[in-house]
Amino acid sequence: EPEVTQTPSHQVTQMGQEVILRCVPISNHLYFYWYRQILGQKVEFLVSFYNNEISEKSEIFDDQFSVERPDGSNFTLKIRSTKLEDSAMYFCASRERAWDNQPQHFGDGTRLSIL
Amino acid sequence: GENVEQHPSTLSVQEGDSAVIKCTYSDSASNYFPWYKQELGKRPQLIIDIRSNVGEKKDQRIAVTLNKTAKHFSLHITETQPEDSAVYFCAASITGAGSYQLTFGKGTKLSVIP
């Protein structure tokens, strides 16, 4: 069964540094998402992406965050200047289509630790 | 925006007993309700979902019920097994113009005691 893949599995970064989290969605999927989960808390929506542009973003997704689909397969989340509170598990998800509520498939996540 | 409340936050049951997890949602426009199981350090995995045109759905030991009037939905696991131990998240989604992102509940840590 095809899967969403994310790299790296764990990223340790100094506060103030830039990080890029990478995702390869399932190949025929059209909608892409980033969620984050602070340790012990619920999964929170960050941003959705469709047709090469952001569809929606949450209050968490401020100017420090950006997303990009640089080629036909990768979907990246960039944090420009990381803060301690950015430490979390970041999940990428994709879905084939949205109009009939096809399920979202999640990757294994990237654990981001800011020192 | 949508708000999803989930109860209980922790649940311990004896192996073989049933477990019930309940969620409420705030936006009556929500019409898709998936349940995800998350084992420690792993991805959320979809275990069952229900759409608003259905009141109940069952898949082997797992069932979900939906009450649109009361805006709540529940997950039922029967004949629980130790491998059911995990954190379970409910979620809600609204269709319409937009990307249909999921709004999650806070999760229920289920422990099945052998």
Side-chain angles (χ1 to χ4, degrees):
Chain A
E1 185 177 328
E3 291 185 343
V4 175
T5 57
Q6 289 185 245
T7 56
S9 57
H10 191 189
Q11 174 80 47
V12 182
T13 301
Q14 291 288 332
M15 186 172 60
Q17 295 296 306
E18 174 184 287
V19 292
I20 297 176
L21 309 183
R22 290 183 166 78
C23 169
V24 179
I26 296 172
S27 62
N28 64 333
H29 286 194
L30 301 178
Y31 293 81
F32 314 117
Y33 306 82
W34 283 101
Y35 293 86
R36 80 169 186 192
Q37 185 179 32
I38 294 171
L39 187 64
Q41 297 187 23
K42 68 176 176 179
V43 178
E44 299 174 291
F45 168 73
L46 292 178
V47 65
S48 59
F49 193 87
Y50 169 71
N51 200 27
N52 285 319
E53 62 182 21
I54 291 175
S55 302
E56 286 190 77
K57 56 185 180 180
S58 71
E59 293 175 353
I60 302 167
F61 194 88
D62 62 23
D63 292 344
Q64 293 301 311
F65 291 86
S66 62
V67 289
E68 194 177 36
R69 189 155 163 82
D71 52 45
S73 59
N74 290 285
F75 178 51
T76 62
L77 174 69
K78 181 192 288 186
I79 309 175
R80 288 188 185 81
S81 179
T82 50
K83 308 182 193 69
L84 292 175
E85 53 264 37
D86 293 328
S87 295
M89 181 73 93
Y90 288 80
F91 290 104
C92 174
S94 69
R95 76 199 311 181
E96 183 177 355
R97 55 185 184 269
W99 62 269
D100 62 346
N101 283 317
Q102 288 297 303
Q104 293 187 25
H105 297 265
F106 284 77
D108 280 332
T110 293
R111 181 168 297 284
L112 179 61
S113 300
I114 307 301
L115 304 178
Chain B
E2 175 67 283
N3 183 49
V4 176
E5 299 287 338
Q6 183 172 347
H7 300 279
S9 55
T10 60
L11 179 61
S12 290
V13 299
Q14 291 288 331
E15 183 178 358
D17 287 350
S18 295
V20 180
I21 303 170
K22 298 182 179 182
C23 289
T24 60
Y25 60 99
S26 61
D27 194 329
S28 56
S30 289
N31 61 357
Y32 174 64
F33 308 94
W35 286 87
Y36 286 84
K37 175 183 180 183
Q38 186 180 33
E39 296 175 8
L40 191 63
K42 302 224 173 147
R43 71 177 78 185
Q45 292 212 305
L46 179 72
I47 55 171
I48 195 167
D49 57 13
I50 190 167
R51 290 161 175 77
S52 61
N53 58 346
V54 174
E56 183 174 356
K57 183 176 177 181
K58 190 172 182 180
D59 183 4
Q60 299 183 336
R61 297 187 295 110
I62 296 172
V64 58
T65 58
L66 171 65
N67 183 327
K68 285 173 56 180
T69 304
K71 289 190 284 189
H72 70 69
F73 56 113
S74 301
L75 177 72
H76 305 252
I77 306 174
T78 58
E79 300 171 26
T80 52
Q81 300 167 2
E83 52 264 38
D84 294 329
S85 296
V87 179
Y88 290 81
F89 291 95
C90 63
S93 179
I94 301 174
T95 58
S99 60
Y100 319 135
Q101 73 271 19
L102 297 171
T103 300
F104 284 85
K106 288 187 176 180
T108 296
K109 184 176 181 181
L110 174 64
S111 300
V112 179
I113 303 162

